[in-house]
Amino acid sequence: MTHPDGTPTPSGEHLATTVEQGRFCFARCTCGWRGPARRARSLARTDAENHAKG
């Protein structure tokens, strides 16, 4: 896996970010996980933080 800037991630590291798609925002991780679509960016950020914590 790689970070969004293209650098490799250490094995097992989760780098979750948020992505906007139309009116919705969702969390996405370098491990392949994707959170539910949210209208509130704050909820998508919370999804990303919770996923990264494990």
Side-chain angles (χ1 to χ4, degrees):
M1 292 289 165
T2 59
H3 288 275
D5 65 2
T7 59
T9 58
S11 179
E13 181 184 354
H14 291 270
L15 180 63
T17 58
T18 57
V19 179
E20 292 190 28
Q21 187 173 2
R23 295 180 180 181
F24 295 93
C25 187
F26 60 90
R28 182 170 62 187
C29 184
T30 54
C31 74
W33 172 85
R34 178 179 165 176
R38 307 280 195 178
R39 286 190 181 261
R41 288 184 192 100
S42 61
L43 291 176
R45 281 192 296 268
T46 300
D47 291 340
E49 290 169 2
N50 290 339
H51 173 76
K53 288 178 187 176

